[in-house]
Amino acid sequence: MMIAVAPHKASWTAAAVDAKLRALATIRVPVGDDGYRTLRRFARRWRDAGWAIEGATGLGAPLTNRLSDDGVDVIDVPAKLAARVRLLSAGHGRKSDDTDAVSVGVAALTSILHASDAPA
């Protein structure tokens, strides 16, 4: 399970993506303290979920830093990888905040699955 975030200047859009690469829920919150608290409440429904942020060291850095301060590890998903996932999806690359977040989750989960299949 992954909480995947597509950050924007004024908002964060998150999607809960399961191991079957299905979006279970999405939420859009404003950047800031209230948005951060709402995002963390949203994520509590999935206790063992990991976190992935598109551009965790760029536009997603403020959220990454807040999560890190709270002891949460974050996977950085490059924007190009999320875009590639979106292009290959059934939506044919159509862009929206929700599809961006889901693409981040699919990219993160897929990379984890492939890493676990690699020979030791």
Side-chain angles (χ1 to χ4, degrees), residues 1-4 15-20 22-25 42-43 45-52 75 105 109 112:
M1 184 59 148
M2 190 68 60
I3 304 300
V17 180
D18 70 8
K20 293 182 181 180
R22 298 177 301 192
L24 303 180
F42 168 79
R45 291 189 255 174
W46 302 279
R47 294 265 180 224
D48 296 330
W51 284 78
I75 296 170
L109 287 165
I112 290 169

Side-chain angles (χ1 to χ4, degrees), residues 32-94:
D33 294 339
D34 290 340
Y36 181 73
R37 283 189 292 274
T38 302
L39 188 59
R40 291 301 303 265
R41 278 193 303 273
F42 168 79
R44 277 191 212 129
R45 291 189 255 174
W46 302 279
R47 294 265 180 224
D48 296 330
W51 284 78
I53 299 177
E54 181 179 27
T57 59
L59 194 55
L63 178 57
T64 300
N65 292 338
R66 290 192 75 168
L67 289 166
S68 294
D69 289 346
D70 287 344
V72 177
D73 292 325
V74 172
I75 296 170
D76 180 18
V77 176
K80 285 185 178 184
L81 180 57
R84 206 171 297 142
V85 168
R86 191 174 52 254
L87 181 64
L88 296 173
S89 73
H92 306 290
R94 290 187 195 104

Side-chain angles (χ1 to χ4, degrees), residues 108-120:
L109 287 165
T110 303
S111 69
I112 290 169
L113 293 173
H114 286 295
S116 67
D117 289 340

Side-chain angles (χ1 to χ4, degrees), residues 6-28:
H8 300 91
K9 288 181 184 177
S11 67
W12 295 315
T13 301
V17 180
D18 70 8
K20 293 182 181 180
L21 308 180
R22 298 177 301 192
L24 303 180
T26 60
I27 187 172
R28 184 176 179 186

